Amino acid sequence: MHTIRVWDLPTRLFHWALVVCVIGQIVTANVGGNWMNWHLRLGYAVLTLLLFRLVWGFVGGHWSRFSSFLYGPATVLNYLRGQARPEHRVGHNPLGAFSVFGLLALLLLQVGSGLFSDDEIAFTGPLVSLVSGDTVSLATSYHKNVGKFIVLALVALHLLAIVFYRIAKKEDLVRPMIVGDKQVATPVSSARDSAQSRLLALGVLCLCALVVYRLVDLGTVTGF
């Protein structure tokens, strides 16, 4: 067996930070009241993390890059037929890739709709003043009545897949996302996880946080 670095530290921190923030958003949305202020803050944090992951998907470690798990239809069909390649057991396999891209897209849609939502009780998104009332109503309806249930369903499916791989295929998907390393039968490339790459990740995260701050501030200034 060969031990390789599959998930670099920035990817692991992103993953667990996103887990904490999404759980926090679900809890604060259901509690309501003054907790909606934290719902907003956590939404900004989720948006920052998602923007970071989009950038890191191009400049991060090998197995964190989208190019390492962007599969064509033929590869997906072969995987479903049991014709998996060795690298499919390292990073995201073809089915896991669908889950990742789906979660990223739907979380972006959910957070984005929240920016334009207004429940007329305790929650007003920061960009409400930039769009029409019809757009606000549509965004609010999706955010409250559709998007959150889709996200919950995908999260549940993600958890079930982890359990399935652990029980049926004897493959632990959680531990590598904690420690970063994974044992594989075939030697493959290790992800870059140096001090320089971690500093790059910190810079990318700060830049994404600045983008979110300016975006939120844009709505505040325009509304004023």
Side-chain angles (χ1 to χ4, degrees):
M1 299 295 287
H2 304 269
T3 300
I4 67 160
R5 175 56 51 93
V6 57
W7 303 123
D8 53 53
L9 181 62
T11 299
R12 285 177 277 148
L13 291 177
F14 155 80
H15 181 274
W16 296 114
L18 186 64
V19 168
V20 171
C21 289
V22 169
I23 291 174
Q25 281 209 293
I26 294 171
V27 172
T28 53
N30 283 281
V31 174
N34 291 331
W35 284 101
M36 292 304 295
N37 292 324
W38 279 103
H39 187 75
L40 277 169
R41 296 182 187 116
L42 289 169
Y44 302 152
V46 168
L47 182 55
T48 300
L49 289 169
L50 293 174
L51 292 179
F52 166 82
R53 187 62 183 92
L54 290 178
V55 176
W56 201 242
F58 294 97
V59 301
H62 175 76
W63 300 104
S64 298
R65 296 192 180 195
F66 298 138
S67 58
S68 73
F69 57 96
L70 189 61
Y71 302 106
T75 302
V76 176
L77 286 175
N78 288 335
Y79 180 81
L80 293 174
R81 292 168 181 162
Q83 302 170 3
R85 299 201 297 255
E87 60 267 27
H88 293 163
R89 294 183 62 85
V90 183
H92 295 300
N93 61 51
L95 291 183
F98 277 120
S99 176
V100 171
F101 287 126
L103 273 174
L104 290 177
L106 288 167
L107 283 174
L108 275 171
L109 184 57
Q110 183 67 4
V111 174
S113 63
L115 296 176
F116 298 96
S117 296
D118 183 2
D119 65 2
E120 299 181 350
I121 300 174
F123 178 88
T124 301
L127 303 185
V128 165
S129 61
L130 301 180
V131 296
S132 67
D134 290 340
T135 301
V136 171
S137 297
L138 181 63
T140 304
S141 178
Y142 176 84
H143 190 78
K144 291 179 59 179
N145 304 318
V146 180
K148 73 174 183 179
F149 295 109
I150 295 177
V151 170
L152 286 172
L154 277 180
V155 169
L157 187 62
H158 189 71
L159 293 174
L160 288 174
I162 291 173
V163 173
F164 170 78
Y165 272 85
R166 186 69 179 90
I167 296 175
K169 298 195 173 186
K170 309 302 180 184
E171 186 176 350
D172 188 353
L173 301 179
V174 176
R175 188 175 185 279
M177 191 57 76
I178 297 175
V179 302
D181 295 335
K182 189 174 187 177
Q183 287 192 326
V184 295
T186 305
V188 292
S189 301
S190 285
R192 184 184 74 247
D193 194 17
S194 62
Q196 291 83 357
S197 67
R198 294 176 181 183
L199 284 174
L200 173 63
L202 180 60
V204 171
L205 180 64
C206 291
L207 180 60
C208 292
L210 179 61
V211 169
V212 173
Y213 174 81
R214 295 299 299 169
L215 179 65
V216 173
D217 188 57
L218 175 65
T220 303
V221 170
T222 304
F224 178 81

